[in-house]
Short mmCIF file of all heavy atoms in Angstrom, two decimals:
data_model
loop_
_atom_site.label_atom_id
_atom_site.label_comp_id
_atom_site.label_asym_id
_atom_site.label_seq_id
_atom_site.Cartn_x
_atom_site.Cartn_y
_atom_site.Cartn_z
N LYS A 1 0.81 -1.25 -0.02
CA LYS A 1 -0.02 -0.02 -0.06
C LYS A 1 0.86 1.18 0.04
O LYS A 1 0.40 2.28 -0.43
CB LYS A 1 -0.92 -0.02 1.19
CG LYS A 1 -2.05 -0.91 1.09
CD LYS A 1 -3.13 -0.68 2.17
CE LYS A 1 -2.59 -0.75 3.59
NZ LYS A 1 -3.57 -0.51 4.61
N ARG A 2 2.08 1.11 0.55
CA ARG A 2 2.93 2.43 0.68
C ARG A 2 3.33 2.83 -0.72
O ARG A 2 3.83 4.02 -0.82
CB ARG A 2 4.11 2.12 1.47
CG ARG A 2 5.19 1.12 0.83
CD ARG A 2 6.28 0.80 1.92
NE ARG A 2 7.30 -0.09 1.27
CZ ARG A 2 7.16 -1.40 1.31
NH1 ARG A 2 6.05 -2.03 1.95
NH2 ARG A 2 8.12 -2.17 0.89
N TYR A 3 3.12 2.11 -1.72
CA TYR A 3 3.47 2.65 -3.11
C TYR A 3 2.32 3.38 -3.75
O TYR A 3 2.55 3.97 -4.87
CB TYR A 3 3.85 1.50 -3.97
CG TYR A 3 5.14 0.80 -3.53
CD1 TYR A 3 5.06 -0.43 -2.89
CD2 TYR A 3 6.40 1.31 -3.74
CE1 TYR A 3 6.23 -1.12 -2.45
CE2 TYR A 3 7.51 0.74 -3.28
CZ TYR A 3 7.41 -0.53 -2.68
OH TYR A 3 8.58 -1.20 -2.20
N GLY A 4 1.32 3.56 -3.03
CA GLY A 4 0.21 4.60 -3.50
C GLY A 4 -0.76 3.89 -4.33
O GLY A 4 -1.73 4.65 -4.92
N ALA A 5 -0.71 2.67 -4.65
CA ALA A 5 -1.73 1.99 -5.50
C ALA A 5 -2.95 1.69 -4.72
O ALA A 5 -2.89 1.51 -3.56
CB ALA A 5 -1.22 0.74 -6.11
N PRO A 6 -4.14 1.86 -5.36
CA PRO A 6 -5.40 1.50 -4.65
C PRO A 6 -5.41 0.05 -4.17
O PRO A 6 -4.99 -0.90 -4.82
CB PRO A 6 -6.55 1.64 -5.79
CG PRO A 6 -5.90 2.53 -6.78
CD PRO A 6 -4.43 2.16 -6.76
N MET A 7 -5.86 -0.12 -2.93
CA MET A 7 -5.89 -1.47 -2.29
C MET A 7 -6.64 -2.49 -3.14
O MET A 7 -6.24 -3.65 -3.29
CB MET A 7 -6.43 -1.37 -0.93
CG MET A 7 -6.29 -2.55 -0.14
SD MET A 7 -4.51 -3.12 0.03
CE MET A 7 -4.85 -4.80 0.82
N ASN A 8 -7.82 -2.06 -3.70
CA ASN A 8 -8.58 -2.95 -4.40
C ASN A 8 -7.76 -3.44 -5.61
O ASN A 8 -7.89 -4.70 -6.04
CB ASN A 8 -9.89 -2.32 -4.95
CG ASN A 8 -10.94 -3.31 -5.25
OD1 ASN A 8 -11.16 -4.33 -4.52
ND2 ASN A 8 -11.58 -3.09 -6.34
N ASP A 9 -6.98 -2.57 -6.34
CA ASP A 9 -6.24 -3.02 -7.44
C ASP A 9 -4.99 -3.99 -7.06
O ASP A 9 -4.74 -4.92 -7.75
CB ASP A 9 -5.59 -1.81 -8.14
CG ASP A 9 -6.68 -1.03 -8.86
OD1 ASP A 9 -7.75 -1.43 -9.05
OD2 ASP A 9 -6.34 0.18 -9.34
N LEU A 10 -4.52 -3.64 -5.84
CA LEU A 10 -3.42 -4.56 -5.38
C LEU A 10 -4.03 -6.03 -5.04
O LEU A 10 -3.35 -7.03 -5.35
CB LEU A 10 -2.79 -4.02 -4.10
CG LEU A 10 -1.88 -2.69 -4.31
CD1 LEU A 10 -1.54 -2.15 -2.91
CD2 LEU A 10 -0.70 -3.03 -5.15
N ILE A 11 -5.18 -6.05 -4.54
CA ILE A 11 -5.86 -7.27 -4.18
C ILE A 11 -6.17 -8.11 -5.46
O ILE A 11 -5.94 -9.28 -5.62
CB ILE A 11 -7.09 -7.06 -3.32
CG1 ILE A 11 -6.66 -6.63 -1.90
CG2 ILE A 11 -7.82 -8.40 -3.30
CD1 ILE A 11 -7.88 -6.30 -1.01
N GLN A 12 -6.62 -7.28 -6.55
CA GLN A 12 -6.78 -7.93 -7.81
C GLN A 12 -5.59 -8.52 -8.40
O GLN A 12 -5.66 -9.67 -8.87
CB GLN A 12 -7.37 -6.86 -8.75
CG GLN A 12 -7.68 -7.41 -10.33
CD GLN A 12 -8.94 -8.13 -10.27
OE1 GLN A 12 -10.00 -7.75 -9.71
NE2 GLN A 12 -8.93 -9.18 -11.05
N GLU A 13 -4.55 -7.90 -8.32
CA GLU A 13 -3.21 -8.45 -8.88
C GLU A 13 -2.77 -9.58 -8.04
O GLU A 13 -2.23 -10.55 -8.60
CB GLU A 13 -2.22 -7.29 -8.96
CG GLU A 13 -2.41 -6.19 -9.85
CD GLU A 13 -2.60 -6.70 -11.29
OE1 GLU A 13 -1.81 -7.59 -11.71
OE2 GLU A 13 -3.39 -6.08 -12.15
N ALA A 14 -2.98 -9.48 -6.72
CA ALA A 14 -2.61 -10.61 -5.84
C ALA A 14 -3.41 -11.81 -6.10
O ALA A 14 -2.93 -13.03 -6.23
CB ALA A 14 -2.78 -10.27 -4.43
N GLY A 15 -4.71 -11.63 -6.47
CA GLY A 15 -5.62 -12.69 -6.84
C GLY A 15 -5.15 -13.37 -8.24
O GLY A 15 -5.19 -14.59 -8.33
N LEU A 16 -4.80 -12.45 -9.12
CA LEU A 16 -4.31 -13.03 -10.41
C LEU A 16 -3.04 -13.90 -10.25
O LEU A 16 -2.86 -14.87 -10.88
CB LEU A 16 -4.06 -11.82 -11.49
CG LEU A 16 -5.30 -11.10 -11.89
CD1 LEU A 16 -4.88 -9.91 -12.73
CD2 LEU A 16 -6.27 -12.00 -12.61
N GLY A 17 -2.11 -13.40 -9.33
CA GLY A 17 -1.01 -14.20 -9.09
C GLY A 17 -1.29 -15.52 -8.43
O GLY A 17 -0.64 -16.59 -8.67
N LEU A 18 -2.25 -15.46 -7.58
CA LEU A 18 -2.73 -16.65 -6.82
C LEU A 18 -3.30 -17.68 -7.97
O LEU A 18 -3.06 -18.91 -7.84
CB LEU A 18 -3.77 -16.43 -5.87
CG LEU A 18 -4.31 -17.54 -5.04
CD1 LEU A 18 -3.24 -18.29 -4.35
CD2 LEU A 18 -5.42 -17.04 -4.06
N MET A 19 -4.11 -17.21 -8.91
CA MET A 19 -4.64 -17.94 -9.98
C MET A 19 -3.51 -18.68 -10.75
O MET A 19 -3.59 -19.83 -11.18
CB MET A 19 -5.59 -17.08 -10.81
CG MET A 19 -6.78 -16.68 -10.17
SD MET A 19 -8.04 -18.02 -10.09
CE MET A 19 -8.46 -18.26 -11.70
N LYS A 20 -2.52 -17.88 -11.09
CA LYS A 20 -1.31 -18.43 -11.92
C LYS A 20 -0.72 -19.49 -11.25
O LYS A 20 -0.20 -20.48 -11.77
CB LYS A 20 -0.43 -17.33 -12.28
CG LYS A 20 -0.96 -16.32 -13.25
CD LYS A 20 0.09 -15.08 -13.54
CE LYS A 20 -0.47 -14.14 -14.44
NZ LYS A 20 0.49 -13.09 -14.64
N ALA A 21 -0.51 -19.26 -9.79
CA ALA A 21 0.16 -20.32 -9.02
C ALA A 21 -0.62 -21.63 -9.01
O ALA A 21 -0.08 -22.66 -9.20
CB ALA A 21 0.34 -19.75 -7.54
N ALA A 22 -1.92 -21.42 -8.86
CA ALA A 22 -2.84 -22.63 -8.86
C ALA A 22 -2.75 -23.32 -10.18
O ALA A 22 -2.79 -24.63 -10.21
CB ALA A 22 -4.28 -22.26 -8.55
N ASP A 23 -2.68 -22.66 -11.27
CA ASP A 23 -2.61 -23.22 -12.59
C ASP A 23 -1.29 -23.96 -12.88
O ASP A 23 -1.29 -24.91 -13.53
CB ASP A 23 -2.87 -22.16 -13.66
CG ASP A 23 -3.13 -22.83 -15.01
OD1 ASP A 23 -3.93 -23.79 -15.14
OD2 ASP A 23 -2.47 -22.41 -15.96
N LYS A 24 -0.19 -23.51 -12.27
CA LYS A 24 1.10 -23.99 -12.60
C LYS A 24 1.66 -24.95 -11.47
O LYS A 24 2.69 -25.54 -11.62
CB LYS A 24 2.17 -22.87 -12.77
CG LYS A 24 1.75 -22.06 -14.11
CD LYS A 24 2.84 -20.93 -14.32
CE LYS A 24 2.51 -20.15 -15.53
NZ LYS A 24 2.75 -21.01 -16.73
N PHE A 25 0.87 -25.08 -10.44
CA PHE A 25 1.39 -25.86 -9.21
C PHE A 25 1.47 -27.37 -9.62
O PHE A 25 0.47 -27.93 -10.21
CB PHE A 25 0.45 -25.56 -8.06
CG PHE A 25 0.76 -26.33 -6.79
CD1 PHE A 25 1.97 -26.10 -6.16
CD2 PHE A 25 -0.06 -27.33 -6.29
CE1 PHE A 25 2.40 -26.85 -5.09
CE2 PHE A 25 0.26 -28.06 -5.13
CZ PHE A 25 1.56 -27.80 -4.56
N ASP A 26 2.52 -28.01 -9.21
CA ASP A 26 2.74 -29.41 -9.42
C ASP A 26 2.73 -30.08 -8.07
O ASP A 26 3.75 -30.06 -7.32
CB ASP A 26 4.05 -29.69 -10.15
CG ASP A 26 4.23 -31.14 -10.41
OD1 ASP A 26 3.40 -31.95 -10.10
OD2 ASP A 26 5.36 -31.49 -11.09
N PRO A 27 1.67 -30.86 -7.72
CA PRO A 27 1.48 -31.38 -6.43
C PRO A 27 2.52 -32.57 -6.17
O PRO A 27 2.77 -32.97 -5.06
CB PRO A 27 0.05 -31.93 -6.35
CG PRO A 27 -0.35 -32.02 -7.80
CD PRO A 27 0.39 -31.00 -8.54
N ASP A 28 3.09 -33.05 -7.25
CA ASP A 28 4.04 -34.24 -7.12
C ASP A 28 5.39 -33.72 -6.56
O ASP A 28 6.25 -34.53 -6.16
CB ASP A 28 4.32 -34.82 -8.47
CG ASP A 28 3.04 -35.57 -9.02
OD1 ASP A 28 2.31 -36.09 -8.21
OD2 ASP A 28 2.99 -35.64 -10.26
#
């Protein structure tokens, strides 16, 4: 938040990163 970006946008980007992680995660 200290970088001045809207919190909602930061959460959106964090969610997108989480989605990418889920898509590429190898449980093995």
Side-chain angles (χ1 to χ4, degrees):
K1 289 196 298 183
R2 65 182 182 274
Y3 294 104
M7 185 60 188
N8 200 45
D9 290 349
L10 292 173
I11 293 176
Q12 177 77 42
E13 293 299 322
L16 292 175
L18 181 61
M19 291 285 290
K20 291 178 182 177
D23 191 48
K24 295 180 178 293
F25 180 62
D26 184 358
D28 290 329

